[in-house]
Amino acid sequence: MQNSTELESNFKRIRSLIPENVQLVAVSKTHPAEMIQSAYDLGQRVFGENKVQELLAKQPVLPRDIAWHLIGHLQTNKVKYIAGFIDTVQSVDSAKILHEINKQAEKHNRTIKVLLQIKIAAEDTKFGLHKDEAEILFQQYLAGDFPHVQITGLMGMATFTEDRETVKKEFSTLKNIFDEFSMHRQLQTLSMGMSDDFQLAIECGANSVRIGSALFGKRNYGTSF
Ligand SMILES: *Cc1c(COP(=O)(O)O)cnc(C)c1O
């Protein structure tokens, strides 16, 4: 695990590579609460976690004004645990989960921001909606379904490959879908790009990037948080 001096230099370097108008989501999964606190102390406020259980362990011991983003596949039966505080669910990958987020948000008298996760990668292990499924959900949303969610944008993950052309093509596909959806109602957030490809993602139109290892160092999945 890296120390807070390394974190500070990584943070400054990454922030300098990202234009002012691009949101940085610091992906803190597997890293302890103290590391998140150090990033918070450097000014970072938006953090991404991919597991509900891990998020629930960290959230109560960290500052209230952190905007938590859930970035991993979310199970329907777990929405209730995070509905009271989650800022954004980036990984809406089914109609069912969107219905449940809406229902739980209503119970908490809140509106939860969500991104529709679009499947852009060739690998079929990646979660996500096909474009036409997303389109149906977006139309239902525009018609007034899901009053307790706010669909603020789209999220996607490119294929895990060294081939920049493939990644670029996938990012551009998502940008096109974003523009198409925005003709019906302007979306704010296009979340794409991680440690290895965030600059390419920004070139392709991303205005939110999810960065973990380039910020916090390599993940050790054996460590407890
Ligand atoms: C882990 C994760 C990231 C960050 O990955 P890095 O390569 O460490 O930057 C981004 N997005 C999602 C959905 C993730 O699960």
Side-chain angles (χ1 to χ4, degrees):
M1 193 170 54
Q2 64 176 9
N3 60 39
S4 53
T5 315
E6 286 168 305
L7 174 66
E8 182 168 6
S9 69
N10 287 342
F11 180 69
K12 289 187 171 151
R13 182 173 43 82
I14 289 165
R15 208 49 267 191
S16 76
L17 293 171
I18 299 174
E20 198 68 47
N21 64 316
V22 172
Q23 177 185 56
L24 168 61
V25 178
V27 177
S28 47
K29 65 191 187 198
T30 77
H31 297 289
E34 300 80 62
M35 193 63 90
I36 301 173
Q37 182 67 52
S38 298
Y40 179 94
D41 294 340
L42 294 168
Q44 181 64 26
R45 290 294 178 272
V46 186
F47 292 89
E49 290 281 342
N50 68 338
K51 294 203 164 76
V52 168
Q53 193 193 7
E54 185 173 345
L55 175 57
L56 290 174
K58 292 169 175 176
Q59 187 268 343
V61 300
L62 284 158
R64 298 283 111 185
D65 64 338
I66 286 178
W68 292 103
H69 286 211
L70 204 284
I71 60 169
H73 175 67
L74 178 57
Q75 287 173 292
T76 315
N77 61 352
K78 292 192 174 157
V79 176
K80 57 180 178 288
Y81 303 119
I82 61 170
F85 69 88
I86 198 80
D87 178 79
T88 301
V89 177
Q90 291 210 4
S91 41
V92 168
D93 57 8
S94 69
K96 194 171 159 218
I97 199 74
L98 189 57
H99 279 284
E100 181 64 14
I101 294 167
N102 183 63
K103 182 176 144 192
Q104 295 298 332
E106 180 175 17
K107 277 192 187 165
H108 288 268
N109 216 356
R110 304 182 64 219
T111 300
I112 296 175
K113 288 180 272 186
V114 304
L115 306 182
L116 300 179
Q117 181 176 352
I118 311 288
K119 187 175 155 60
I120 52 170
E123 313 148 47
D124 51 5
T125 51
K126 296 257 162 81
F127 289 105
L129 297 157
H130 289 284
K131 182 196 161 190
D132 44 348
E133 296 175 298
E135 211 153 26
I136 291 167
L137 288 181
F138 193 51
Q139 292 297 352
Q140 291 172 341
Y141 167 73
L142 293 179
D145 290 3
F146 316 114
H148 293 273
V149 304
Q150 191 189 353
I151 298 179
T152 57
L154 306 179
M155 185 270 249
M157 282 172 94
T159 301
F160 186 70
T161 172
E162 297 282 299
D163 177 17
R164 311 295 283 176
E165 277 312 308
T166 297
V167 174
K168 191 174 173 183
K169 227 193 302 172
E170 292 171 353
F171 285 157
S172 302
T173 298
L174 189 55
K175 168 69 161 102
N176 287 338
I177 298 172
F178 179 84
D179 289 342
E180 223 176 281
F181 279 35
S182 291
M183 291 194 291
H184 301 288
R185 183 180 298 173
Q186 183 63 51
L187 293 171
Q188 287 103 58
T189 307
L190 180 55
S191 170
M192 54 186 196
M194 322 199 324
S195 290
D196 291 334
D197 55 19
F198 69 89
Q199 286 173 295
L200 182 58
I202 293 166
E203 283 167 30
C204 294
N207 61 15
S208 183
V209 293
R210 310 177 307 271
I211 299 185
S213 42
L215 189 57
F216 294 109
K218 276 221 293 256
R219 284 182 290 274
N220 177 352
Y221 284 96
T223 317
S224 68
F225 39 84

